[in-house]
Amino acid sequence: MKILVGVKRVVDYAVKVRVGANGVDLKNVKMSLNPFCEIAVEEAVKLKEHKKSNVSEVVALSIGPKQCQETLRTALAMGCDRGIHIMTDKRGDYMELQSDAVAKLFQKIVEEKENDVDLVLVGKQAIDSDCGQVGPMLAGYMGWPQATFAANVELDGDGLLVERETDQGTETIKIPKLPAVVSCDLRLNTPRYATLPNIMKAKKKKVDTYKAEELGVDLEPKNKVLEVFEPPPRKEGIMVDDVNSLLDKLKNEAGLIQ
């Protein structure tokens, strides 16, 4: 069983972004592994460590500029065996490289470069574009079953049992047989910290590099972003003396209660 896991390089979640005329300013900004992709990596490594899983290899795949090598090394330090880097200088935050092209690049890798993949794990969304479309699109292009927003993944014979998040709670679905695509949600696991010895070992692990333009995928965006702007600042809150004062303001000033 071989697992392919997607890892995306995004602006670090703790950074306050600067918004300019052409979108979020990426100059001199700390970048890191997308948190949901980090959860996908952890789940792939956990499945490999499971005694009954029979996972032979976990391969990390990243699409973007040369700095994505650092993101791949993070995944390798967490326990992935090998990396694949698809080189492109297009922005990956939906401004230039969009979900449709990313899913088709994944499809090319699975069909032409790694044609024995049994399971693809991706984060449910990236924190830069918040699209959440790559997993479902890839499953559609491949004709594979999928489970989105996974909160728990268990091996079940030749397939999987996946508990997934919904607006009403969770539901459990059965994928009778692999291959399949699973997108990973926040509650699935807590990613491990890479230890120093594993960080050093990751530097020696193999990373195959391909140019996106040579894979025969149309990378032009299907949608055009017209404007990017910061949300308006929240008004400063006020302190009240007691509950009665709070209720009075909610009723007579805000009109929230009758």
Side-chain angles (χ1 to χ4, degrees):
M1 179 179 176
K2 180 190 286 188
I3 300 176
L4 180 69
V5 55
V7 295
K8 186 176 183 181
R9 180 176 179 266
V10 298
V11 176
D12 189 85
Y13 71 92
V15 170
K16 187 181 186 309
V17 298
R18 304 185 302 270
V19 178
N22 298 317
V24 174
D25 185 2
L26 300 180
K27 293 182 179 178
N28 301 317
V29 174
K30 181 183 178 183
M31 309 291 280
S32 61
L33 174 59
N34 177 48
F36 292 103
C37 295
E38 194 173 11
I39 292 170
V41 170
E42 174 65 25
E43 193 63 22
V45 175
K46 282 177 63 179
L47 285 172
K48 183 183 178 184
E49 293 171 345
H50 196 287
K51 294 180 180 179
K52 297 181 181 179
S53 67
N54 196 30
V55 175
S56 60
E57 189 178 32
V58 176
V59 183
L61 169 61
S62 188
I63 303 171
K66 62 181 181 180
Q67 290 87 350
C68 284
Q69 293 271 344
E70 301 169 8
T71 308
L72 282 169
R73 296 296 173 191
T74 300
L76 296 176
M78 290 177 65
C80 292
D81 302 294
R82 184 163 54 86
I84 297 175
H85 181 200
I86 301 179
M87 282 276 294
T88 177
D89 290 327
K90 290 182 176 292
R91 289 177 60 133
D93 59 349
Y94 202 77
M95 299 297 290
E96 295 176 346
L97 189 65
Q98 297 181 350
S99 305
D100 177 66
V102 172
K104 288 180 178 177
L105 288 170
F106 268 74
Q107 181 188 14
K108 283 285 185 179
I109 293 298
V110 173
E111 291 182 342
E112 299 180 7
K113 308 296 184 182
E114 304 286 336
N115 53 19
D116 55 347
V117 169
D118 299 290
L119 178 63
V120 177
L121 294 177
V122 294
K124 73 164 185 175
Q125 67 193 77
I127 62 172
D128 52 4
S129 62
D130 276 336
C131 289
Q133 296 174 337
V134 170
M137 281 185 171
L138 175 61
Y141 290 143
M142 297 296 299
W144 289 2
Q146 64 172 309
T148 55
F149 313 123
N152 188 55
V153 177
E154 294 181 9
L155 298 166
D156 185 61
D158 294 331
L160 299 172
L161 279 178
V162 181
E163 181 185 0
R164 62 184 301 271
E165 303 273 3
T166 71
D167 291 338
Q168 288 76 36
T170 64
E171 64 179 11
T172 300
I173 61 174
K174 178 180 175 67
I175 296 177
K177 190 175 182 179
L178 299 176
V181 179
V182 175
S183 69
C184 303
D185 211 333
L186 192 64
R187 292 201 301 170
L188 181 57
N189 59 53
T190 301
R192 70 193 67 190
Y193 289 102
T195 62
L196 182 58
N198 286 337
I199 292 173
M200 300 305 293
K201 290 177 183 178
K203 295 180 179 180
K204 299 180 180 180
K205 291 184 179 179
K206 183 181 179 182
V207 175
D208 297 315
T209 302
Y210 305 99
K211 292 183 179 180
E213 293 75 12
E214 296 176 354
L215 292 175
V217 172
D218 181 10
L219 302 180
E220 290 304 310
K222 302 298 187 295
N223 299 316
K224 181 179 180 181
V225 179
L226 300 179
E227 185 181 8
V228 179
F229 55 90
E230 293 188 57
R234 294 180 61 183
K235 294 182 180 179
E236 185 177 354
I238 61 171
M239 299 291 291
V240 295
D241 295 328
D242 50 41
V243 174
N244 290 331
S245 300
L246 173 62
L247 292 174
D248 179 68
K249 289 184 178 297
L250 290 175
K251 180 178 180 180
N252 298 317
E253 296 183 17
L256 295 177
I257 57 178
Q258 300 297 324

